[in-house]
Amino acid sequence: MAEHDHKLIHAFGALAELGQEVTNKNSFQETIRTSLHLLSGALGIMRGAVARYSRFGHELNMLAVRSLGDDFPLSLTLTPEDERQFLSCGLHPIEIRDAQVLPFFQIYDVSFGGRRLELFVPLVVRDEIVGAIFLGEKATGLPYTNYEKDIICAMGHHIGVAIAQRNLMAEIERQADENRRLFDEMRSTYNDTVKAFAAAIDCKDKYTEGHSVRVGRFSEIIASELGWGKEETEGAAVGGYLHDVGKLTVERRIINAPYRINAKESAELNKHPVVGYEILQPIHHPYADVPLAAKYHHERVDGRGYPDGLYDREIPYVAKIVTLADSFDAMTTDRPYKARRPAKEVIDDMRMNSGKQFAPEIVTAFLGGLLRELTGEARDRRFRRLLGRDYMEAEGLAGKIRATLNEMKPTTPMTYVAAAGIGDRPIH
């Protein structure tokens, strides 16, 4: 076999291996090191390097270096003139000794000459510089032939595509990170706006200051105790924060009446769930059930609530959560016509109305969370911050909750959604 034919077969073998290497799912750095090894081996090249171009820093950063010494610069700056010339040249080898007119070769003349580098190959893919290959002398000491330069271009194209793919993936990941950051910022802004709006709702009612904010936080606690995911829990919290938005249209004298309001005033006040739904429905919320939480937070599982008298499973589940949060806050805060009820009375009320006003598994989850904080199993002090230390430390409260939980069934024939994490086992 002629020597030329032998070199041709060897070169195409290396080219095939390089193509396979580029398409494998190896690490990017390993792919580039292997590519340089295959290129050098195919043509008997003594030394070389592969660099990636940073268009932001206008520099070539070394990805793989072979036999160039530890003091070879790992980052090489390009001037705008260098970039124009390399783009104009395209993916073709440049004889370094003949390219001294360009600033790039003048600046790094000592480094290139000291390592006996002979060829510089700009890696141009789709009219964009993505990197470069530096090649030193061959083991034979002979100059590069046109045939060898064609092989270098073919293999350089594979290496350039690998770098371009890596750049594309990095850009996609950067954009994904940016989108996630923007989404988090938007969600944070939305949640902050909701809380501010809840505070504004509460400003209209001087007797229940902070009610909407507390209902939002109690709803969040319940959803987390039920084992809901982060977004679902945030949705329940938002439903709680905005559940009384319809009260903005109710006369202030009715809301602030220092007495138990009459039937006519009560009918006017009872319109607020539907009004709240009409206010919230046109808004594009990140959580779908927010308007429904406002509309149905006065429904009861026994069908005796309002505005539609829905029965158990007809009630959106988030509304059941807000119902309990709303009632619990009403029982544990002072109102103009009644004082705050003792904690044990509130527990009794929740037990007696479980399966009537409240979904039993939601009551169970709520009390389970309260008990875990009282016993120190949960240390986040969520209830203490809302109810106050004195209220939480009522004598015998933990025992009362244990007894209640052991007495209760987490579900009834009316309610089919099981409470997460709390079953029929006794609570100790």
Side-chain angles (χ1 to χ4, degrees):
M1 179 182 295
E3 183 181 358
H4 180 270
D5 293 339
H6 180 78
K7 287 182 178 179
L8 186 64
I9 293 172
H10 186 63
F12 274 96
L15 190 59
E17 287 186 55
L18 181 58
Q20 187 174 357
E21 177 66 27
V22 169
T23 55
N24 280 339
K25 294 182 179 178
N26 298 330
S27 77
F28 175 66
Q29 290 287 346
E30 184 62 30
T31 295
I32 297 301
R33 278 195 293 269
T34 303
S35 299
L36 179 60
H37 174 77
L38 289 169
L39 176 57
S40 302
L43 300 176
I45 301 171
M46 300 292 288
R47 55 185 62 86
V50 175
R52 177 164 62 181
Y53 181 61
S54 167
R55 58 191 174 94
F56 300 107
H58 300 282
E59 59 189 16
L60 291 165
N61 299 309
M62 297 301 155
L63 295 172
V65 178
R66 183 182 182 189
S67 302
L68 292 180
D70 294 338
D71 58 343
F72 186 75
L74 298 179
S75 181
L76 307 174
T77 302
L78 268 63
T79 67
E81 179 60 21
D82 295 325
E83 294 175 4
R84 279 194 293 273
Q85 288 295 328
F86 295 155
L87 274 175
S88 174
C89 176
L91 202 162
H92 294 291
I94 297 173
E95 299 278 356
I96 291 178
R97 66 174 179 275
D98 297 334
Q100 297 300 316
V101 66
L102 288 178
F104 178 69
F105 296 105
Q106 294 173 12
I107 293 170
Y108 299 105
D109 178 56
V110 173
S111 297
F112 295 168
R115 277 77 178 182
R116 303 180 66 181
L117 291 177
E118 296 186 4
L119 289 183
F120 173 81
V121 186
L123 299 178
V124 179
V125 177
R126 294 177 183 169
D127 298 325
E128 184 178 340
I129 300 174
V130 299
I133 299 174
F134 300 83
L135 297 176
E137 83 279 23
K138 296 191 296 181
T140 60
L142 297 174
Y144 285 93
T145 65
N146 289 336
Y147 156 74
E148 288 168 333
K149 290 178 181 177
D150 288 342
I151 294 296
I152 291 169
C153 287
M155 300 183 80
H157 179 73
H158 281 282
I159 297 172
V161 168
I163 295 175
Q165 287 177 337
R166 175 67 177 184
N167 290 346
L168 180 61
M169 290 302 298
E171 177 63 15
I172 290 172
E173 290 171 2
R174 188 193 67 76
Q175 290 186 3
D177 289 342
E178 177 68 7
N179 288 340
R180 278 193 290 271
R181 187 184 64 78
L182 290 173
F183 176 76
D184 289 343
E185 285 182 2
M186 288 174 62
R187 186 163 66 180
S188 177
T189 300
Y190 172 81
N191 289 337
D192 289 345
T193 303
V194 165
K195 291 173 185 175
F197 203 57
I201 296 168
D202 291 340
C203 283
K204 190 168 185 179
D205 187 346
K206 65 181 181 181
Y207 296 117
T208 61
E209 184 177 1
H211 169 70
S212 295
V213 173
R214 289 192 299 272
V215 171
R217 291 176 179 165
F218 282 131
S219 298
E220 183 178 8
I221 292 172
I222 294 169
S224 66
E225 290 295 328
L226 286 168
W228 284 19
K230 180 181 177 182
E231 291 195 3
E232 292 171 310
T233 299
E234 286 184 359
V238 171
Y241 285 124
L242 299 179
H243 75 288
D244 269 348
V245 66
K247 284 186 177 178
L248 290 173
T249 65
V250 180
E251 290 184 47
R252 189 179 292 271
R253 66 174 182 79
I254 296 177
I255 293 177
N256 292 314
Y259 51 82
R260 192 171 292 279
I261 58 178
N262 59 37
K264 183 179 179 182
E265 292 169 331
S266 180
E268 183 65 25
L269 180 62
N270 289 352
K271 293 178 182 176
H272 79 271
V274 174
V275 174
Y277 174 79
E278 292 171 349
I279 291 173
L280 295 173
Q281 179 63 15
I283 300 173
H284 181 67
H285 301 274
Y287 318 108
D289 292 339
V290 170
L292 298 177
K295 184 174 184 179
Y296 295 121
H297 72 274
H298 281 296
E299 297 288 358
R300 297 166 53 107
V301 294
D302 60 6
R304 297 173 60 193
Y306 67 93
D308 295 334
L310 300 182
Y311 178 80
D312 193 32
R313 286 193 296 171
E314 296 171 340
I315 306 170
Y317 205 76
V318 69
K320 294 179 181 178
I321 291 175
V322 175
T323 296
L324 180 61
D326 186 31
S327 297
F328 183 80
D329 185 68
M331 290 188 285
T332 55
T333 52
D334 290 326
R335 298 294 172 97
Y337 45 83
K338 68 179 181 66
R340 179 188 207 184
R341 295 173 62 181
K344 291 183 180 177
E345 277 189 31
V346 174
I347 303 302
D348 281 335
D349 187 286
M350 293 169 72
R351 176 181 55 79
M352 288 187 295
N353 282 295
S354 176
K356 300 176 183 174
Q357 184 178 358
F358 311 123
E361 76 280 4
I362 295 178
V363 174
T364 304
F366 187 86
L367 292 181
L370 182 56
L371 179 60
R372 290 195 302 110
E373 186 169 319
L374 283 170
T375 58
E377 183 181 346
R379 299 182 180 277
D380 45 23
R381 302 173 63 83
R382 296 175 299 176
F383 287 97
R384 274 184 171 77
R385 283 195 289 270
L386 292 167
L387 296 170
R389 179 180 175 182
D390 292 342
Y391 196 81
M392 285 286 288
E393 294 183 355
E395 185 177 355
L397 182 58
K400 176 74 174 179
I401 294 174
R402 282 194 191 94
T404 301
L405 286 170
N406 285 331
E407 198 176 315
M408 289 180 59
K409 293 285 185 183
T411 59
T412 73
M414 290 195 301
T415 303
Y416 298 93
V417 181
I422 299 178
D424 292 332
R425 67 184 189 282
I427 306 297
H428 301 292

